[in-house]
Amino acid sequence: MKRKVGALEKVDADLSNLQYKIRRDPVSYKDDFLKQYRQYESQREIFLRAPSSATNTGIVSLKDLIDFVSHVASCFPEITAEFPKELMQILSLHHKELESELREKIVGSLVLLRRKDIIDSSVLLHALFPILTTTPSKSLRTLLFQKILLDLRTSNQKTTNHKLNRTIQTVLYNLLTSDRSSPKGLWAVKITRELWKRQIWTDSKAVEIMKEASLADNDKVVAGGVRFFLGGDKEREEMEDESSEEEAVDLGKLKHQMGINKKTKKKARAMENAVATVKKKERKKKQPNPLNFSAFHLLHDPQGFSETLFSNHLQNTKSKLNLEKRLDVLQLVSRLVGLHKLTVISLYSYFLKYLTPRQPSVTSFLASLAQSTHNLVPPDILEPIVQKIANEFVSEAAASEVASAGLNAIREICVRQPLAMNDTLLQDLVMYRKSKDKGVVMAAKGLLGLYREVGADLLKKRDRGKAAALGLRSGTHKERRFGEEEEGGIEGLDLLETWKDEEKKRRREEKGLPVEVGSNESQDGQNVQDEDEASGWEVEENDSDSSGGWINVESDAEIEISDSDDDEPNAKRSKLRDAATTQDDDKENVDDPAKELERKTSTLATTRILTPADLAKLQELRMAASINKALPASQRKRASQQKALQQRHIDDPLTAAEIEGLARLSKKASKDEKIALAKDGKGERQEHKSTQAIRQERKEIEGKSTTNREKARKKNFMMTLSKGKKKQKRSLVDRGRVLKAHVERSKRGGKRGNKGH
């Protein structure tokens, strides 16, 4: 009897077994739970009296009891109402003295209570975040950072939890602004950047947090904030690509395996999971794409941000940033100025002292200078900078790599602001196309090709080229003035208008009406009637004299009174007058075709609402008709390259590698570099194999079966030995019978008789 009682006590003392019983029947085991809960309270009081001198036995007992209570707390919510607060108190007051395993158990128990909805996310995060920024333990910081991110991701998994997001964003914002020199702001940067990368925080509040980080006084916090703006969007795109490029599930392969292999519950579950995964991906594809704006576009005050950033970290002589971090800040300021077309006049004079070939990372300075240039920068400010680049980099004494980098930088500046160049300097730089170095020649030709398009009047007549010379002579090439913006429009709208006119004529022919609309017919009303009668908002005009409206009468100046009897009849005179008017109109149209095109385009754009069918047809017409179709192949290629250069996406940064691009043509590569360049992109080559062996490996990787002949070749020799002996013992009659059967089988197309079917 004593043995049975001892065994029962051991079962009751086993917390995992008791936890299982309580989950199944909480009411029956309430007394057992109260007994263990009192034990937990006593152990907690003993620990709080002397946290640093607690025994190992007491710590282990307290850890097990905390784990037990946290797992079954949802069964007794009234009894364990104060349990989460007690855990938070232990962690916040004694996290420095706590033993590492007990500390991790308390954090894990709090996360478990949050998962069971016993405590709220905001309560958990408010408890963990102050410890994250104050604890000296690296392992605890890593654990808390992971748990905070996990909780935020879980809270925003199904729907965006705006209330929680605003609360945490306010905490992070206050952490950065309360003490700008504190390194604690680095945690705000890490959390915001991780959530931005995972597309959980995509609003302007997150961008404002990183903006404050960029303006902090701590160099690590500044570097984190600046790098977020320079690379945060790229990280987000890469993560999105990785999630979309997950290994696809081959349903056909699984169904084939299910059909030929033994059917088990495990394989059936795998098949169900695969079908669910495929359906989930299909639903995800059909969902609308979220509008993920770049961090640069979500800034509230880019002008003030760029000015403060420039004055605090670049102009300030007390700034502690090294050259690499200063270059990052400079790149951020230049991208802001170029993207939003800001005016920071002192930025351009800042570049002057760094524009020398001996300056470390000079190509990064040149790239930042080109990025900060736009068409609203006054040319008087850019002319001295372009002149200094030409004097320092482009000369006969300069190395070929230096000259090509300088010409590249000048071209990138002039693409954005062509008025920064004067004719004397341009003609001097264009002469470098006769250099012996290939990189310098290509850079000079690039500058020449640019100004043939945007400023041919600055070039000499022999350098303008045929197209530019004809354009200057006809007046189509006009010098762009400072601050002048190109008129916006819809590309290919004239093609759509022409197609609509042809369709209208075709419909009139089908109805038996004249192709041309008469002068007495209302053009607007006819268009409304012809084009599917879908524009009910247009009112059809009525030119009838019986409408009761005013009648237009010609003025007295246009009435000619003649007493001569030899004058021509009125009808003939009116016809001649109409013909003269038509000729005058034709002359006006010939003299100014641009006005006619503008009139036609604006008429279609301002009097019609383009339907989805119209937009689809517009896209089709754009694909069918190329603007440069009539040009020769060489001119068409040059025009497309020039257009791509001028319309480079403004969000994409200009890197130092693009400035140095043509310099690689000047440097003669060694034999090893040539071999490495030839191998680049070909992948790692392994041992030589035949085509059949490569196909066989590919089939094995894809899980495909082999032929019977291949299986027979790989069969064990001992298994084929008896068959070989049997063949040798066959008589002459048997061999003849086998040979005859083989011939007949070949004639009918094998064993299945597939020949002729």
Side-chain angles (χ1 to χ4, degrees):
M1 188 66 185
K2 288 184 179 180
R3 287 183 180 179
K4 290 183 179 180
V5 171
L8 290 172
E9 289 177 353
K10 187 176 181 182
V11 169
D12 290 338
D14 188 1
L15 294 179
S16 60
N17 192 15
L18 181 60
Q19 176 184 326
Y20 173 72
K21 291 178 179 180
I22 291 173
R23 283 180 175 176
R24 294 189 66 183
D25 191 3
V27 178
S28 302
Y29 290 93
K30 184 176 181 180
D31 295 336
D32 297 320
F33 172 75
L34 288 173
K35 182 181 176 182
Q36 297 297 333
Y37 193 73
R38 292 191 196 100
Q39 184 73 17
Y40 151 73
E41 288 180 337
S42 62
Q43 290 286 347
R44 183 179 62 85
E45 289 176 0
I46 293 171
F47 176 79
L48 289 177
R49 287 175 185 173
S52 57
S53 60
T55 61
N56 292 334
T57 308
I59 291 173
V60 171
S61 177
L62 180 61
K63 183 180 70 173
D64 293 340
L65 288 168
I66 288 173
D67 185 43
F68 166 73
V69 176
S70 62
H71 275 87
V72 296
S74 58
C75 299
F76 308 100
E78 296 178 357
I79 300 173
T80 59
E82 299 296 322
F83 178 67
K85 295 180 181 179
E86 293 168 356
L87 291 184
M88 293 176 192
Q89 183 184 6
I90 295 173
L91 189 63
S92 60
L93 296 178
H94 307 289
H95 62 85
K96 295 181 181 179
E97 297 89 3
L98 284 175
E99 195 262 339
S100 60
E101 292 185 2
L102 178 59
R103 194 169 55 194
E104 291 178 5
K105 180 59 67 178
I106 293 175
V107 174
S109 300
L110 287 171
V111 174
L112 180 62
L113 293 174
R114 162 67 191 96
R115 201 175 298 157
K116 292 177 178 289
D117 291 329
I118 297 174
I119 60 175
D120 193 32
S121 278
S122 58
V123 176
L124 175 66
L125 295 175
H126 277 297
L128 298 183
F129 196 76
I131 304 172
L132 174 67
T133 58
T134 56
T135 180
S137 173
K138 186 177 180 181
S139 60
L140 181 59
R141 287 198 302 266
T142 306
L143 177 66
L144 292 176
F145 181 68
Q146 291 174 353
K147 298 299 182 185
I148 289 172
L149 283 179
L150 180 63
D151 186 67
L152 285 169
R153 288 174 59 188
T154 307
S155 302
N156 291 275
Q157 190 169 13
K158 293 183 179 179
T159 56
T160 305
N161 193 340
H162 294 287
K163 183 179 179 181
L164 177 64
N165 291 342
R166 283 196 299 269
T167 304
I168 302 303
Q169 286 169 352
T170 305
V171 171
L172 299 180
Y173 186 86
N174 294 336
L175 179 67
L176 285 166
T177 54
S178 59
D179 187 5
R180 293 189 177 274
S181 59
S182 173
K184 294 179 182 179
L186 194 60
W187 291 108
V189 173
K190 288 182 178 180
I191 292 172
T192 307
R193 186 164 185 172
E194 188 68 23
L195 294 174
W196 178 271
K197 183 172 70 175
R198 296 183 181 276
Q199 299 188 23
I200 298 171
W201 287 359
T202 56
D203 55 349
S204 59
K205 187 70 175 176
V207 178
E208 287 298 312
I209 293 172
M210 303 308 287
K211 173 185 171 182
E212 293 298 329
S214 303
L215 299 175
D217 295 333
N218 186 278
D219 55 344
K220 291 184 179 179
V221 180
V222 171
V226 170
R227 285 170 184 164
F228 165 78
F229 283 103
L230 295 178
D233 298 323
K234 189 176 181 182
E235 288 178 355
R236 186 170 62 177
E237 292 172 1
E238 288 175 355
M239 177 157 285
E240 190 176 356
D241 293 341
E242 287 176 5
S243 62
S244 62
E245 290 177 0
E246 292 177 356
E247 190 172 348
V249 179
D250 191 356
L251 281 179
K253 180 181 175 182
L254 289 175
K255 287 180 180 178
H256 177 68
Q257 291 177 351
M258 287 284 292
I260 61 175
N261 295 337
K262 184 179 179 181
K263 295 176 177 60
T264 61
K265 290 184 178 180
K266 183 180 178 181
K267 291 178 181 177
R269 284 195 301 270
M271 186 68 185
E272 291 175 1
N273 294 335
V275 172
T277 305
V278 170
K279 288 183 178 178
K280 184 179 178 182
K281 286 186 177 180
E282 290 296 326
R283 286 196 305 268
K284 193 174 181 181
K285 285 180 182 177
K286 293 178 181 178
Q287 287 178 353
N289 245 346
L291 293 175
N292 292 326
F293 290 101
S294 170
F296 290 105
H297 295 284
L298 294 175
L299 283 168
H300 286 311
D301 183 18
Q303 177 72 39
F305 177 46
S306 59
E307 288 178 353
T308 310
L309 202 63
F310 178 65
S311 60
N312 287 0
H313 300 313
L314 297 177
Q315 279 187 325
N316 189 7
T317 55
K318 297 180 181 179
S319 178
K320 298 179 182 179
L321 299 179
N322 56 22
L323 179 62
E324 182 181 357
K325 293 178 181 176
R326 289 167 74 90
L327 276 172
D328 289 341
V329 174
L330 183 62
Q331 189 178 2
L332 174 57
V333 174
S334 63
R335 286 189 68 182
L336 284 169
V337 171
L339 177 64
H340 295 284
K341 295 188 177 182
L342 309 177
T343 305
V344 185
I345 300 299
S346 54
L347 173 64
Y348 302 100
S349 58
Y350 173 81
F351 281 105
L352 285 172
K353 60 181 177 181
Y354 296 105
L355 297 180
T356 58
R358 294 176 296 278
Q359 170 67 37
S361 305
V362 66
T363 50
S364 299
F365 283 100
L366 292 172
S368 299
L369 172 61
Q371 274 187 138
S372 62
T373 306
H374 52 86
N375 62 339
L376 299 181
V377 180
D380 299 339
I381 296 174
L382 293 175
E383 277 188 15
I385 298 175
V386 174
Q387 188 68 49
K388 181 165 185 182
I389 295 174
N391 294 339
E392 293 283 346
F393 290 84
V394 189
S395 65
E396 296 292 341
S400 56
E401 295 90 348
V402 176
S404 61
L407 286 169
N408 256 350
I410 292 173
R411 180 174 55 83
E412 291 291 344
I413 292 171
C414 294
V415 163
R416 294 160 174 81
Q417 178 53 288
L419 301 177
M421 181 70 69
N422 57 62
D423 53 353
T424 306
L425 180 60
L426 178 62
Q427 291 167 11
D428 184 28
L429 296 176
V430 164
M431 292 299 292
Y432 280 90
R433 72 183 189 278
K434 298 180 180 178
S435 173
K436 295 181 180 179
D437 187 81
K438 190 174 182 180
V440 178
V441 170
M442 295 294 290
K445 284 184 176 179
L447 186 64
L448 176 62
L450 169 67
Y451 271 92
R452 281 178 174 174
E453 297 292 331
V454 299
D457 54 330
L458 297 178
L459 295 168
K460 292 182 179 179
K461 287 186 177 180
R462 65 171 181 268
D463 297 331
R464 290 174 182 172
K466 182 179 179 181
L470 291 175
L472 285 175
R473 193 175 302 168
S474 62
T476 56
H477 278 241
K478 295 181 180 179
E479 182 182 2
R480 187 179 297 177
R481 294 175 294 179
F482 173 66
E484 183 181 358
E485 295 283 351
E486 293 183 358
E487 293 182 1
I490 303 175
E491 183 183 354
L493 198 61
D494 53 342
L495 300 173
L496 181 63
E497 185 177 8
T498 305
W499 178 80
K500 280 180 173 292
D501 291 340
E502 292 175 355
E503 286 294 308
K504 184 181 67 176
K505 291 178 181 178
R506 184 179 61 80
R507 290 195 191 107
R508 290 180 65 87
E509 285 180 354
E510 291 175 356
K511 293 178 181 179
L513 299 173
V515 176
E516 296 297 333
V517 181
S519 59
N520 294 330
E521 297 182 27
S522 174
Q523 187 69 27
D524 293 335
Q526 189 66 34
N527 287 339
V528 173
Q529 185 180 359
D530 287 341
E531 294 176 8
D532 300 333
E533 298 180 356
S535 303
W537 51 273
E538 286 187 2
V539 181
E540 192 166 341
E541 294 179 6
N542 191 358
D543 292 340
S544 174
D545 294 340
S546 62
S547 61
W550 292 94
I551 300 173
N552 293 328
V553 182
E554 294 181 354
S555 63
D556 295 338
E558 296 176 352
I559 299 175
E560 295 181 3
I561 300 174
S562 176
D563 295 335
S564 175
D565 295 336
D566 298 333
D567 288 344
E568 296 176 348
N570 292 334
K572 190 174 182 181
R573 189 164 59 245
S574 61
K575 286 182 181 179
L576 290 174
R577 188 182 297 119
D578 292 341
T581 307
T582 306
Q583 289 179 1
D584 293 340
D585 292 342
D586 292 341
K587 287 180 181 179
E588 290 179 3
N589 294 338
V590 170
D591 292 341
D592 198 355
K595 288 185 178 179
E596 177 67 18
L597 181 61
E598 181 182 357
R599 183 187 64 79
K600 294 173 84 174
T601 306
S602 62
T603 300
L604 184 62
T606 56
T607 61
R608 296 285 185 274
I609 296 177
L610 297 181
T611 62
D614 289 338
L615 296 175
K617 189 64 182 178
L618 179 62
Q619 184 66 23
E620 181 184 344
L621 292 172
R622 282 179 190 162
M623 296 293 292
S626 174
I627 296 173
N628 297 323
K629 210 170 189 179
L631 294 175
S634 59
Q635 294 184 23
R636 189 160 59 240
K637 181 180 178 182
R638 192 186 315 127
S640 61
Q641 289 175 350
Q642 192 65 34
K643 187 176 181 181
L645 184 65
Q646 291 179 354
Q647 295 181 354
R648 184 203 302 267
H649 199 284
I650 199 163
D651 282 346
D652 295 337
L654 180 66
T655 60
E658 294 179 13
I659 298 293
E660 299 171 0
L662 298 175
R664 282 178 289 181
L665 298 174
S666 304
K667 184 181 177 182
K668 291 185 178 180
S670 62
K671 184 178 179 181
D672 296 337
E673 291 175 349
K674 290 179 181 178
I675 293 173
L677 185 63
K679 288 182 177 180
D680 188 21
K682 293 184 178 179
E684 293 292 332
R685 283 197 175 185
Q686 300 176 355
E687 57 179 344
H688 177 72
K689 293 181 180 179
S690 65
T691 307
Q692 192 69 21
I694 294 172
R695 288 177 184 168
Q696 184 65 28
E697 281 187 359
R698 192 180 300 123
K699 286 174 73 175
E700 290 177 0
I701 292 171
E702 294 174 357
K704 295 180 179 178
S705 181
T706 56
T707 62
N708 289 335
R709 182 175 295 180
E710 290 171 346
K711 289 174 182 175
R713 287 178 57 192
K714 293 183 179 180
K715 205 167 187 179
N716 191 359
F717 177 71
M718 296 303 294
M719 297 174 69
T720 59
L721 189 60
S722 60
K723 187 176 181 181
K725 288 180 179 179
K726 188 178 179 181
K727 281 185 177 182
Q728 291 178 357
K729 293 179 180 179
R730 280 191 303 200
S731 65
L732 188 61
V733 176
D734 292 336
R735 290 185 180 182
R737 189 185 300 115
V738 170
L739 182 60
K740 185 178 179 182
H742 173 70
V743 172
E744 290 177 355
R745 189 165 58 244
S746 299
K747 287 181 180 179
R748 67 172 183 264
K751 290 182 179 180
R752 297 181 181 178
N754 294 327
K755 189 172 182 181
H757 292 279

